[in-house]
Amino acid sequence: MFSAMRSRHASLLSLSRSALKTTTPALHANRISIRMTHKKALTLESINPAVLDVQYAVRGELALKADKYMHQLEDGDKSLPFDKVVTANIGNPQQKGLNQRPITYWRQVISLLENPMLMEEHLDVIKTIYPADVIRRAQSLHKEIGSVGAYTHSKGVLQIRQRVAKFIEKRDGYPSDPEMIFLTAGASAGVSQILGLALKPGDGAMIPIPQYPLYTATLSYIHGKPIPYYLNEDAEWSTNTAALREGVAKAKQDGTPIKALVVINPGNPTGACLTREAMEDVVRLCYEESILLLADEVYQRNIFNNDTKPFISFKEVVKSMDKDIADSVELVSFHSISKGVSGECGRRGGYFELCNIEPDVVDQIYKMASVTLCPPVTGQVGVDLLVNPPVEGDESYEQWKEETSLTHENLASRSKYMQERFSQLPNMSCQPADGAMYLFPRIDIPEKAIKEAEKRGKAPDVMYTLDLLDATGICAVAGSGFGQEPGTFHMRVTALCPGVEEYVDKIEKFHKDWIRKYE
Amino acid sequence: MFSAMRSRHASLLSLSRSALKTTTPALHANRISIRMTHKKALTLESINPAVLDVQYAVRGELALKADKYMHQLEDGDKSLPFDKVVTANIGNPQQKGLNQRPITYWRQVISLLENPMLMEEHLDVIKTIYPADVIRRAQSLHKEIGSVGAYTHSKGVLQIRQRVAKFIEKRDGYPSDPEMIFLTAGASAGVSQILGLALKPGDGAMIPIPQYPLYTATLSYIHGKPIPYYLNEDAEWSTNTAALREGVAKAKQDGTPIKALVVINPGNPTGACLTREAMEDVVRLCYEESILLLADEVYQRNIFNNDTKPFISFKEVVKSMDKDIADSVELVSFHSISKGVSGECGRRGGYFELCNIEPDVVDQIYKMASVTLCPPVTGQVGVDLLVNPPVEGDESYEQWKEETSLTHENLASRSKYMQERFSQLPNMSCQPADGAMYLFPRIDIPEKAIKEAEKRGKAPDVMYTLDLLDATGICAVAGSGFGQEPGTFHMRVTALCPGVEEYVDKIEKFHKDWIRKYE
């Protein structure tokens, strides 16, 4: 695609250079000649070539087209075959039209921190509309943080990091050190920081296929090499040792040093929760090969089958293994306020925890964090509310419980409903999700459609999702944006849409028509 | 410093490598041998070497020591010769102890956006404590944005970008296109994005000396080369053509392609406002040499001598020049909510505007912005409030005016007071500041002190600032953290401290004693 852009650009350039602009006096002619020969500093040829290699399908061509349709509808255009655009392409729970309501407790606390005068000068009034525990929490956070408009420590507010450590200890049963916890502007920012620090140009990082494209995008930008390992679709998208070891062998053969291994658990886009056995295999590999393990655990709260497929953290797995492994496997685990029932992605908050990282390297991570000054402060507050929610007996507890349970159940039931209906469609199969907020159904694309896609210069699944958008207003991302076994095709849809029945009806109708057309 | 760290580390490594491996008899012995021979993935030798080169003095050794003292004082330690730490090292207006109050209007609006239920269910109550224009503004922003917990467009909310464009048009008298405006997580994030995109590894960027160390830090990280150009201290820290052209000549001689030129105006750490003539020289150079101009204008609202030294934007200068120049010089200008009278740096908000950038390159900038998803949403709201404050007739106007004027006057009068007193000290001279919030006095360090610093393994000005901290609790940053003419020494202090008289008294006493000691 980029080579096409380059040549388009080159032809535009030569066009403007060859353009004849005859005018009278000398001064004007002189100006034109200067203008025509002025060389731009930034062109596709002159900028950082790593940038050209970055791909990020989640917000690419499809999202731009969806944007266009949305504007058309807002402008009263009646020519489209749908009356709304359904953005099932990004995990953006509180987006307009999706209507996942923010957790009331969060917003009450943060509104007080944003305007402490409400507590200082209008406490009597506020007491009539806010529960007492909200006010206590805000007062205590205000005392710790001061103004949410001030920079904090570059690692984040110490007291919040202390509570994150307690949360991790309670979750895993192993000690956690607040000094090894760094608050971040969402998990993405943390992932970029760590990959950018860990990899020399040319180093490799193992990434699952399918993956969330942040990983390949970041690797492209830092001149790193993705080393793919395929997840096993037939085993509910689990990792498997053979595929992992194959990836390692191939990298060694290519002479690529393997610096890191990324696991997304629960999976994005797959929704899979890994078993302890599968996780131990990964950890053992990292131990044997001296590979940094990056555990993207941002969906750890979105678990649908807690009895049969619970979330287990990599920190717990590492620490529960043989002492040699427990004390040496280097692990960075990421969490976020964006993706749990909180869904506060616009706030940009999250954290990572370092485990078994050399102190000298921790110092370097801290230095790099300090260049970005500090994570957004109300994002840090969000982390505090995530790891330390109201407890039974608190005035807000019942409402918090009700709201978070409802969001959680909605996600789980929509996911199940969608999976069951997708599984019944011709030319479609769909693994059930154990968690997260996506499904990644497989589409059996007829040969005729593959030929048509070739003609249109699109990947077959990209053509499918573009056609789906054109026909229904539903915006889903093609599997090729995440990676998939060659010859297979998928799409990722979120389970965030209210009115799921109508939504699946539309996909079903489109899908059947489309398959029929090309069969 | 890093070479020392490396060799320390290397000796540790060789120690573990030479450790004897015993295989039998006990499992325990075996474990130890494995542990001792396990190779870490991340060491100072194996991580990205560019990271080791990054230096960021503003939050370095000095800040860590200040942190330590602060904790000691909090723990009731009475052994220190001061009873509080004064953090004059970072521009953090709302920090505890500095007490620049947030603008009431900002916080009222944002508190409503954080908890829209205040407007929906408790409007009657809110009306009794908030001015009507605050409620109107919040309602209108809420309608545009929806939840502040949702992702926005990766460039930021369209309507906010439209208002930024209007602000720029009004400021400069030239058109501004909302599609060329990208909201960011503060100016730093924008600068990293642009430098990382514009420079190929090995490309150079011209940076002023002294500079804000974000620039050298970012260049190190992206494998770029800083090409210094010296500001003229005797001409109130102005740029000068000779120094600029010297930088260009030197880079050409070294074979370094010059991709970008950074100007900080008003200056950090210098506080200087450039004249139109000086700016035109810079623009002309960028035109002739096809260099991207990066204008860091985050202090544009902090101007002390508006009549004699007003702020002029680079966009205005570029657009007012010869048409060839106006239509071709590539400019990215940065603004921020952190550094004006708003001082909302913990919120992380800002924007950059692209001017004369090739459309293909704009697409790449957009793609890279989309990988980071979106800037923090209440940071975006902050930008809206920055560019579109209350106007005369609005209920909040008087209070807004009073608060912002007070902050502005405090900054200006403290800056003037500090400059006058510093200028009277022996072995110290200080250029007056036209704006921003720092002073950068020059310290004439006696030969004996330079020898002592050498013994201690410190730069002389670093020793000075460390001694200042030990004696007074005042935390200032040595000039070597920003760069300075070889053989000259400076420090940067902020003009944010309340109780400026006592603060300067302490510096004066320390300075006189220190100079006496070494003279």
PDB file of all heavy atoms in Angstrom, chain A residues 169-193:
ATOM      1  N   GLU A 169      -1.158  -8.159  45.815  1.00  0.00           N
ATOM      2  CA  GLU A 169      -0.870  -9.164  46.853  1.00  0.00           C
ATOM      3  C   GLU A 169      -2.107  -9.982  47.175  1.00  0.00           C
ATOM      4  O   GLU A 169      -2.049 -11.199  47.317  1.00  0.00           O
ATOM      5  CB  GLU A 169      -0.362  -8.471  48.128  1.00  0.00           C
ATOM      6  CG  GLU A 169       1.063  -7.994  47.985  1.00  0.00           C
ATOM      7  CD  GLU A 169       1.582  -7.235  49.206  1.00  0.00           C
ATOM      8  OE1 GLU A 169       0.828  -7.109  50.206  1.00  0.00           O
ATOM      9  OE2 GLU A 169       2.738  -6.776  49.152  1.00  0.00           O
ATOM     10  N   LYS A 170      -3.232  -9.293  47.263  1.00  0.00           N
ATOM     11  CA  LYS A 170      -4.478  -9.982  47.593  1.00  0.00           C
ATOM     12  C   LYS A 170      -4.902 -10.891  46.438  1.00  0.00           C
ATOM     13  O   LYS A 170      -5.376 -12.011  46.643  1.00  0.00           O
ATOM     14  CB  LYS A 170      -5.557  -8.924  47.869  1.00  0.00           C
ATOM     15  CG  LYS A 170      -6.691  -9.452  48.709  1.00  0.00           C
ATOM     16  CD  LYS A 170      -7.670  -8.367  49.091  1.00  0.00           C
ATOM     17  CE  LYS A 170      -9.038  -9.006  49.280  1.00  0.00           C
ATOM     18  NZ  LYS A 170     -10.129  -8.038  49.194  1.00  0.00           N
ATOM     19  N   ARG A 171      -4.700 -10.408  45.216  1.00  0.00           N
ATOM     20  CA  ARG A 171      -5.100 -11.190  44.044  1.00  0.00           C
ATOM     21  C   ARG A 171      -4.255 -12.452  43.909  1.00  0.00           C
ATOM     22  O   ARG A 171      -4.755 -13.530  43.618  1.00  0.00           O
ATOM     23  CB  ARG A 171      -4.955 -10.310  42.793  1.00  0.00           C
ATOM     24  CG  ARG A 171      -5.411 -10.934  41.497  1.00  0.00           C
ATOM     25  CD  ARG A 171      -4.927 -10.121  40.284  1.00  0.00           C
ATOM     26  NE  ARG A 171      -3.463 -10.192  40.161  1.00  0.00           N
ATOM     27  CZ  ARG A 171      -2.737  -9.455  39.332  1.00  0.00           C
ATOM     28  NH1 ARG A 171      -3.321  -8.567  38.561  1.00  0.00           N
ATOM     29  NH2 ARG A 171      -1.422  -9.587  39.291  1.00  0.00           N
ATOM     30  N   ASP A 172      -2.932 -12.303  44.133  1.00  0.00           N
ATOM     31  CA  ASP A 172      -2.006 -13.377  43.798  1.00  0.00           C
ATOM     32  C   ASP A 172      -1.489 -14.176  44.989  1.00  0.00           C
ATOM     33  O   ASP A 172      -1.003 -15.297  44.821  1.00  0.00           O
ATOM     34  CB  ASP A 172      -0.766 -12.798  43.087  1.00  0.00           C
ATOM     35  CG  ASP A 172      -1.113 -12.139  41.764  1.00  0.00           C
ATOM     36  OD1 ASP A 172      -2.186 -12.459  41.212  1.00  0.00           O
ATOM     37  OD2 ASP A 172      -0.311 -11.308  41.287  1.00  0.00           O
ATOM     38  N   GLY A 173      -1.536 -13.561  46.172  1.00  0.00           N
ATOM     39  CA  GLY A 173      -0.953 -14.247  47.315  1.00  0.00           C
ATOM     40  C   GLY A 173       0.563 -14.146  47.400  1.00  0.00           C
ATOM     41  O   GLY A 173       1.200 -14.935  48.102  1.00  0.00           O
ATOM     42  N   TYR A 174       1.147 -13.211  46.676  1.00  0.00           N
ATOM     43  CA  TYR A 174       2.603 -13.003  46.742  1.00  0.00           C
ATOM     44  C   TYR A 174       2.882 -11.523  46.946  1.00  0.00           C
ATOM     45  O   TYR A 174       2.091 -10.681  46.511  1.00  0.00           O
ATOM     46  CB  TYR A 174       3.273 -13.491  45.454  1.00  0.00           C
ATOM     47  CG  TYR A 174       3.172 -14.987  45.282  1.00  0.00           C
ATOM     48  CD1 TYR A 174       2.159 -15.540  44.516  1.00  0.00           C
ATOM     49  CD2 TYR A 174       4.088 -15.833  45.910  1.00  0.00           C
ATOM     50  CE1 TYR A 174       2.046 -16.915  44.374  1.00  0.00           C
ATOM     51  CE2 TYR A 174       3.987 -17.208  45.775  1.00  0.00           C
ATOM     52  CZ  TYR A 174       2.970 -17.750  45.017  1.00  0.00           C
ATOM     53  OH  TYR A 174       2.859 -19.096  44.885  1.00  0.00           O
ATOM     54  N   PRO A 175       4.033 -11.207  47.591  1.00  0.00           N
ATOM     55  CA  PRO A 175       4.326  -9.798  47.872  1.00  0.00           C
ATOM     56  C   PRO A 175       4.463  -8.963  46.597  1.00  0.00           C
ATOM     57  O   PRO A 175       4.818  -9.476  45.532  1.00  0.00           O
ATOM     58  CB  PRO A 175       5.683  -9.829  48.597  1.00  0.00           C
ATOM     59  CG  PRO A 175       5.974 -11.250  48.905  1.00  0.00           C
ATOM     60  CD  PRO A 175       5.109 -12.107  48.050  1.00  0.00           C
ATOM     61  N   SER A 176       4.148  -7.683  46.722  1.00  0.00           N
ATOM     62  CA  SER A 176       4.279  -6.739  45.613  1.00  0.00           C
ATOM     63  C   SER A 176       4.876  -5.457  46.169  1.00  0.00           C
ATOM     64  O   SER A 176       4.491  -5.012  47.254  1.00  0.00           O
ATOM     65  CB  SER A 176       2.902  -6.485  44.991  1.00  0.00           C
ATOM     66  OG  SER A 176       2.952  -5.416  44.088  1.00  0.00           O
ATOM     67  N   ASP A 177       5.825  -4.881  45.461  1.00  0.00           N
ATOM     68  CA  ASP A 177       6.569  -3.714  45.946  1.00  0.00           C
ATOM     69  C   ASP A 177       6.097  -2.458  45.206  1.00  0.00           C
ATOM     70  O   ASP A 177       6.210  -2.382  43.990  1.00  0.00           O
ATOM     71  CB  ASP A 177       8.067  -3.967  45.674  1.00  0.00           C
ATOM     72  CG  ASP A 177       8.944  -2.782  46.063  1.00  0.00           C
ATOM     73  OD1 ASP A 177       8.403  -1.750  46.495  1.00  0.00           O
ATOM     74  OD2 ASP A 177      10.182  -2.914  45.920  1.00  0.00           O
ATOM     75  N   PRO A 178       5.562  -1.470  45.946  1.00  0.00           N
ATOM     76  CA  PRO A 178       5.067  -0.239  45.292  1.00  0.00           C
ATOM     77  C   PRO A 178       6.126   0.431  44.423  1.00  0.00           C
ATOM     78  O   PRO A 178       5.780   1.107  43.452  1.00  0.00           O
ATOM     79  CB  PRO A 178       4.699   0.672  46.455  1.00  0.00           C
ATOM     80  CG  PRO A 178       4.605  -0.197  47.654  1.00  0.00           C
ATOM     81  CD  PRO A 178       5.405  -1.428  47.410  1.00  0.00           C
ATOM     82  N   GLU A 179       7.409   0.227  44.751  1.00  0.00           N
ATOM     83  CA  GLU A 179       8.459   0.856  43.933  1.00  0.00           C
ATOM     84  C   GLU A 179       8.623   0.151  42.587  1.00  0.00           C
ATOM     85  O   GLU A 179       9.290   0.678  41.694  1.00  0.00           O
ATOM     86  CB  GLU A 179       9.792   0.887  44.696  1.00  0.00           C
ATOM     87  CG  GLU A 179       9.802   1.848  45.869  1.00  0.00           C
ATOM     88  CD  GLU A 179       9.348   3.257  45.471  1.00  0.00           C
ATOM     89  OE1 GLU A 179       9.752   3.747  44.409  1.00  0.00           O
ATOM     90  OE2 GLU A 179       8.543   3.854  46.225  1.00  0.00           O
ATOM     91  N   MET A 180       8.055  -1.019  42.442  1.00  0.00           N
ATOM     92  CA  MET A 180       8.103  -1.735  41.164  1.00  0.00           C
ATOM     93  C   MET A 180       6.827  -1.501  40.354  1.00  0.00           C
ATOM     94  O   MET A 180       6.610  -2.127  39.322  1.00  0.00           O
ATOM     95  CB  MET A 180       8.298  -3.239  41.391  1.00  0.00           C
ATOM     96  CG  MET A 180       9.646  -3.603  41.991  1.00  0.00           C
ATOM     97  SD  MET A 180      11.035  -3.074  40.939  1.00  0.00           S
ATOM     98  CE  MET A 180      11.899  -1.985  42.079  1.00  0.00           C
ATOM     99  N   ILE A 181       5.983  -0.609  40.854  1.00  0.00           N
ATOM    100  CA  ILE A 181       4.738  -0.302  40.150  1.00  0.00           C
ATOM    101  C   ILE A 181       4.829   1.091  39.538  1.00  0.00           C
ATOM    102  O   ILE A 181       5.198   2.047  40.229  1.00  0.00           O
ATOM    103  CB  ILE A 181       3.539  -0.433  41.106  1.00  0.00           C
ATOM    104  CG1 ILE A 181       3.339  -1.927  41.419  1.00  0.00           C
ATOM    105  CG2 ILE A 181       2.274   0.160  40.501  1.00  0.00           C
ATOM    106  CD1 ILE A 181       2.517  -2.183  42.622  1.00  0.00           C
ATOM    107  N   PHE A 182       4.529   1.178  38.273  1.00  0.00           N
ATOM    108  CA  PHE A 182       4.543   2.457  37.559  1.00  0.00           C
ATOM    109  C   PHE A 182       3.129   2.712  37.035  1.00  0.00           C
ATOM    110  O   PHE A 182       2.613   1.908  36.255  1.00  0.00           O
ATOM    111  CB  PHE A 182       5.493   2.400  36.354  1.00  0.00           C
ATOM    112  CG  PHE A 182       6.954   2.422  36.712  1.00  0.00           C
ATOM    113  CD1 PHE A 182       7.540   1.375  37.401  1.00  0.00           C
ATOM    114  CD2 PHE A 182       7.756   3.490  36.323  1.00  0.00           C
ATOM    115  CE1 PHE A 182       8.894   1.378  37.725  1.00  0.00           C
ATOM    116  CE2 PHE A 182       9.115   3.512  36.636  1.00  0.00           C
ATOM    117  CZ  PHE A 182       9.682   2.460  37.337  1.00  0.00           C
ATOM    118  N   LEU A 183       2.536   3.810  37.436  1.00  0.00           N
ATOM    119  CA  LEU A 183       1.249   4.178  36.840  1.00  0.00           C
ATOM    120  C   LEU A 183       1.515   4.739  35.443  1.00  0.00           C
ATOM    121  O   LEU A 183       2.570   5.332  35.193  1.00  0.00           O
ATOM    122  CB  LEU A 183       0.516   5.198  37.716  1.00  0.00           C
ATOM    123  CG  LEU A 183       0.294   4.775  39.180  1.00  0.00           C
ATOM    124  CD1 LEU A 183      -0.591   5.798  39.893  1.00  0.00           C
ATOM    125  CD2 LEU A 183      -0.332   3.405  39.301  1.00  0.00           C
ATOM    126  N   THR A 184       0.568   4.520  34.533  1.00  0.00           N
ATOM    127  CA  THR A 184       0.778   4.896  33.132  1.00  0.00           C
ATOM    128  C   THR A 184      -0.459   5.581  32.555  1.00  0.00           C
ATOM    129  O   THR A 184      -1.530   5.536  33.153  1.00  0.00           O
ATOM    130  CB  THR A 184       1.044   3.649  32.263  1.00  0.00           C
ATOM    131  OG1 THR A 184      -0.096   2.779  32.343  1.00  0.00           O
ATOM    132  CG2 THR A 184       2.279   2.893  32.719  1.00  0.00           C
ATOM    133  N   ALA A 185      -0.284   6.169  31.375  1.00  0.00           N
ATOM    134  CA  ALA A 185      -1.415   6.749  30.640  1.00  0.00           C
ATOM    135  C   ALA A 185      -2.088   5.642  29.836  1.00  0.00           C
ATOM    136  O   ALA A 185      -2.073   5.639  28.617  1.00  0.00           O
ATOM    137  CB  ALA A 185      -0.942   7.870  29.734  1.00  0.00           C
ATOM    138  N   GLY A 186      -2.670   4.670  30.505  1.00  0.00           N
ATOM    139  CA  GLY A 186      -3.245   3.506  29.838  1.00  0.00           C
ATOM    140  C   GLY A 186      -2.184   2.445  29.594  1.00  0.00           C
ATOM    141  O   GLY A 186      -0.984   2.727  29.699  1.00  0.00           O
ATOM    142  N   ALA A 187      -2.632   1.247  29.289  1.00  0.00           N
ATOM    143  CA  ALA A 187      -1.674   0.154  29.077  1.00  0.00           C
ATOM    144  C   ALA A 187      -0.826   0.394  27.830  1.00  0.00           C
ATOM    145  O   ALA A 187       0.363   0.067  27.812  1.00  0.00           O
ATOM    146  CB  ALA A 187      -2.410  -1.177  28.972  1.00  0.00           C
ATOM    147  N   SER A 188      -1.412   0.985  26.795  1.00  0.00           N
ATOM    148  CA  SER A 188      -0.663   1.206  25.545  1.00  0.00           C
ATOM    149  C   SER A 188       0.610   2.001  25.798  1.00  0.00           C
ATOM    150  O   SER A 188       1.676   1.660  25.273  1.00  0.00           O
ATOM    151  CB  SER A 188      -1.506   1.978  24.530  1.00  0.00           C
ATOM    152  OG  SER A 188      -2.609   1.229  24.127  1.00  0.00           O
ATOM    153  N   ALA A 189       0.508   3.054  26.585  1.00  0.00           N
ATOM    154  CA  ALA A 189       1.678   3.887  26.867  1.00  0.00           C
ATOM    155  C   ALA A 189       2.741   3.063  27.577  1.00  0.00           C
ATOM    156  O   ALA A 189       3.937   3.179  27.283  1.00  0.00           O
ATOM    157  CB  ALA A 189       1.270   5.092  27.714  1.00  0.00           C
ATOM    158  N   GLY A 190       2.321   2.208  28.507  1.00  0.00           N
ATOM    159  CA  GLY A 190       3.269   1.370  29.226  1.00  0.00           C
ATOM    160  C   GLY A 190       3.952   0.363  28.306  1.00  0.00           C
ATOM    161  O   GLY A 190       5.167   0.164  28.383  1.00  0.00           O
ATOM    162  N   VAL A 191       3.176  -0.242  27.434  1.00  0.00           N
ATOM    163  CA  VAL A 191       3.728  -1.220  26.490  1.00  0.00           C
ATOM    164  C   VAL A 191       4.783  -0.560  25.600  1.00  0.00           C
ATOM    165  O   VAL A 191       5.874  -1.102  25.400  1.00  0.00           O
ATOM    166  CB  VAL A 191       2.598  -1.839  25.634  1.00  0.00           C
ATOM    167  CG1 VAL A 191       3.167  -2.595  24.443  1.00  0.00           C
ATOM    168  CG2 VAL A 191       1.730  -2.758  26.481  1.00  0.00           C
ATOM    169  N   SER A 192       4.489   0.618  25.074  1.00  0.00           N
ATOM    170  CA  SER A 192       5.463   1.318  24.233  1.00  0.00           C
ATOM    171  C   SER A 192       6.731   1.614  25.019  1.00  0.00           C
ATOM    172  O   SER A 192       7.836   1.450  24.510  1.00  0.00           O
ATOM    173  CB  SER A 192       4.923   2.657  23.735  1.00  0.00           C
ATOM    174  OG  SER A 192       3.688   2.503  23.138  1.00  0.00           O
ATOM    175  N   GLN A 193       6.559   2.091  26.256  1.00  0.00           N
ATOM    176  CA  GLN A 193       7.732   2.402  27.084  1.00  0.00           C
ATOM    177  C   GLN A 193       8.620   1.174  27.253  1.00  0.00           C
ATOM    178  O   GLN A 193       9.831   1.243  27.078  1.00  0.00           O
ATOM    179  CB  GLN A 193       7.296   2.865  28.477  1.00  0.00           C
ATOM    180  CG  GLN A 193       7.128   4.369  28.625  1.00  0.00           C
ATOM    181  CD  GLN A 193       6.520   4.734  29.987  1.00  0.00           C
ATOM    182  OE1 GLN A 193       6.816   4.144  31.006  1.00  0.00           O
ATOM    183  NE2 GLN A 193       5.643   5.721  29.985  1.00  0.00           N
TER     184      GLN A 193
END
